[in-house]
Coordinates of all heavy atoms in Angstrom, one line a residue:
I135 N -1.6 25.2 -58.3 CA -2.2 26.5 -57.8 C -3.0 27.1 -59.0 O -2.5 27.4 -60.0 CB -1.0 27.5 -57.5 CG1 -0.2 26.9 -56.3 CG2 -1.6 28.9 -57.1 CD1 1.1 27.7 -56.1
F136 N -4.3 27.1 -58.8 CA -5.2 27.6 -59.8 C -5.5 29.1 -59.5 O -6.2 29.4 -58.6 CB -6.5 26.7 -59.8 CG -7.6 27.3 -60.6 CD1 -7.4 27.9 -61.8 CD2 -8.9 27.2 -60.2 CE1 -8.4 28.4 -62.6 CE2 -10.0 27.6 -60.9 CZ -9.7 28.2 -62.2
I137 N -5.0 29.9 -60.4 CA -5.3 31.4 -60.3 C -6.5 31.6 -61.2 O -6.4 31.5 -62.4 CB -4.1 32.2 -60.9 CG1 -2.8 31.9 -60.1 CG2 -4.4 33.7 -60.6 CD1 -1.6 32.6 -60.7
D138 N -7.6 31.8 -60.5 CA -8.9 31.9 -61.2 C -9.2 33.3 -61.6 O -9.6 34.1 -60.7 CB -10.0 31.3 -60.3 CG -11.3 31.2 -60.9 OD1 -11.5 31.6 -62.1 OD2 -12.2 30.6 -60.3
F139 N -9.1 33.7 -62.9 CA -9.5 35.0 -63.3 C -10.9 35.1 -63.9 O -11.3 36.2 -64.3 CB -8.5 35.4 -64.4 CG -7.1 35.7 -64.0 CD1 -6.1 34.9 -64.4 CD2 -6.8 36.8 -63.2 CE1 -4.8 35.1 -64.0 CE2 -5.5 37.1 -62.8 CZ -4.5 36.2 -63.2
D140 N -11.6 34.0 -64.0 CA -12.8 33.9 -64.7 C -14.1 34.1 -63.9 O -15.2 34.1 -64.4 CB -12.9 32.5 -65.4 CG -13.8 32.5 -66.6 OD1 -14.0 33.5 -67.2 OD2 -14.3 31.4 -67.0
G141 N -13.9 34.3 -62.6 CA -15.1 34.5 -61.7 C -15.9 33.2 -61.6 O -15.5 32.1 -62.0
G142 N -17.1 33.4 -61.0 CA -18.0 32.3 -60.8 C -18.7 32.3 -59.5 O -18.7 33.3 -58.8
H143 N -19.3 31.2 -59.1 CA -20.0 31.1 -57.9 C -19.2 30.2 -56.8 O -18.7 29.2 -57.2 CB -21.4 30.4 -58.1 CG -22.3 31.2 -59.0 ND1 -23.1 32.3 -58.5 CD2 -22.5 31.2 -60.3 CE1 -23.7 32.8 -59.5 NE2 -23.4 32.2 -60.7
V144 N -19.2 30.7 -55.6 CA -18.6 30.0 -54.5 C -19.8 29.4 -53.6 O -20.6 30.2 -53.1 CB -17.7 30.9 -53.7 CG1 -17.1 30.1 -52.5 CG2 -16.6 31.4 -54.6
E145 N -19.8 28.1 -53.5 CA -20.9 27.4 -52.8 C -20.4 26.3 -51.9 O -19.3 25.7 -52.3 CB -21.9 26.9 -53.8 CG -22.6 28.0 -54.6 CD -23.5 27.5 -55.7 OE1 -23.4 26.3 -56.0 OE2 -24.3 28.3 -56.2
N146 N -21.1 26.0 -50.9 CA -20.8 24.8 -50.0 C -19.4 24.9 -49.4 O -18.7 23.9 -49.3 CB -20.9 23.5 -50.8 CG -22.3 23.3 -51.3 OD1 -23.3 23.5 -50.6 ND2 -22.4 22.9 -52.6
T147 N -19.0 26.1 -49.0 CA -17.7 26.3 -48.4 C -17.9 27.0 -47.0 O -19.0 27.4 -46.6 CB -16.8 27.2 -49.2 OG1 -17.3 28.6 -49.2 CG2 -16.8 26.7 -50.7
A148 N -16.8 27.1 -46.3 CA -16.8 27.8 -45.0 C -17.2 29.2 -45.1 O -17.8 29.8 -44.2 CB -15.4 27.7 -44.3
W149 N -16.8 29.8 -46.3 CA -17.2 31.2 -46.5 C -18.7 31.4 -46.6 O -19.2 32.4 -46.1 CB -16.6 31.7 -47.8 CG -15.1 31.7 -47.9 CD1 -14.3 30.9 -48.8 CD2 -14.1 32.5 -47.1 NE1 -13.0 31.2 -48.6 CE2 -12.8 32.1 -47.6 CE3 -14.3 33.4 -46.1 CZ2 -11.7 32.7 -47.0 CZ3 -13.1 33.9 -45.5 CH2 -11.9 33.6 -46.0
N150 N -19.4 30.4 -47.2 CA -20.8 30.4 -47.2 C -21.4 30.3 -45.8 O -22.4 30.9 -45.5 CB -21.3 29.4 -48.2 CG -20.8 29.5 -49.6 OD1 -19.9 28.8 -49.9 ND2 -21.4 30.4 -50.4
A151 N -20.8 29.3 -45.1 CA -21.4 29.1 -43.7 C -21.2 30.3 -42.9 O -22.1 30.6 -42.1 CB -20.6 27.9 -43.1
S152 N -20.1 31.0 -43.0 CA -19.9 32.2 -42.1 C -20.7 33.4 -42.5 O -21.2 34.1 -41.7 CB -18.4 32.6 -42.2 OG -17.6 31.6 -41.6
S153 N -20.9 33.5 -43.8 CA -21.7 34.7 -44.3 C -23.2 34.4 -44.3 O -24.0 35.4 -44.4 CB -21.3 35.0 -45.8 OG -21.6 34.0 -46.7
G154 N -23.6 33.2 -44.3 CA -25.0 32.9 -44.4 C -25.6 32.9 -45.8 O -26.8 32.8 -46.0
A155 N -24.7 33.1 -46.8 CA -25.1 33.2 -48.2 C -24.8 31.8 -48.8 O -23.7 31.3 -48.8 CB -24.3 34.3 -48.9
A156 N -25.9 31.3 -49.4 CA -25.7 30.0 -50.0 C -24.8 30.0 -51.2 O -24.1 29.0 -51.6 CB -27.1 29.4 -50.5
S157 N -24.8 31.2 -51.9 CA -23.9 31.3 -53.1 C -23.3 32.7 -53.1 O -23.9 33.7 -52.8 CB -24.7 31.1 -54.4 OG -23.9 31.3 -55.5
L158 N -22.0 32.8 -53.2 CA -21.2 34.0 -53.4 C -20.8 34.2 -54.8 O -20.1 33.3 -55.4 CB -20.0 34.0 -52.4 CG -20.3 34.0 -50.9 CD1 -19.0 33.7 -50.2 CD2 -20.9 35.2 -50.5
Q159 N -21.2 35.3 -55.4 CA -20.8 35.5 -56.8 C -19.6 36.4 -57.0 O -19.5 37.5 -56.5 CB -22.0 36.2 -57.6 CG -21.8 36.3 -59.0 CD -23.0 37.0 -59.7 OE1 -24.1 37.1 -59.2 NE2 -22.8 37.4 -61.0
A160 N -18.6 35.8 -57.7 CA -17.4 36.6 -57.9 C -17.3 37.0 -59.4 O -17.5 36.1 -60.3 CB -16.2 35.7 -57.5
A161 N -17.0 38.2 -59.6 CA -16.9 38.7 -61.0 C -15.6 38.3 -61.7 O -14.5 38.2 -61.0 CB -17.0 40.2 -61.0
P162 N -15.6 38.2 -63.0 CA -14.3 37.9 -63.7 C -13.3 39.1 -63.6 O -13.8 40.2 -63.2 CB -14.7 37.7 -65.2 CG -16.2 37.4 -65.1 CD -16.7 38.1 -63.9
Y163 N -12.1 38.9 -63.8 CA -11.0 39.9 -63.8 C -11.4 41.0 -64.7 O -11.7 40.8 -65.9 CB -9.7 39.3 -64.2 CG -8.5 40.2 -64.0 CD1 -8.0 40.4 -62.7 CD2 -7.9 40.9 -65.1 CE1 -6.9 41.3 -62.6 CE2 -6.9 41.7 -64.9 CZ -6.3 41.9 -63.7 OH -5.2 42.7 -63.5
N164 N -11.4 42.3 -64.2 CA -11.8 43.4 -65.0 C -11.2 44.7 -64.4 O -11.6 45.1 -63.4 CB -13.3 43.5 -65.1 CG -13.8 44.8 -65.7 OD1 -13.2 45.3 -66.6 ND2 -15.0 45.2 -65.3
T165 N -10.2 45.2 -65.1 CA -9.6 46.5 -64.6 C -9.9 47.7 -65.4 O -9.5 48.8 -65.1 CB -8.1 46.2 -64.5 OG1 -7.5 45.9 -65.8 CG2 -7.7 45.1 -63.5

Side-chain angles (χ1 to χ4, degrees):
I135 299 170
F136 170 37
I137 308 176
D138 187 354
F139 291 113
D140 204 25
H143 297 276
V144 176
E145 298 174 344
N146 302 314
T147 73
W149 300 117
N150 301 101
S152 293
S153 66
S157 180
L158 296 169
Q159 183 179 348
Y163 187 79
N164 171 28
T165 58

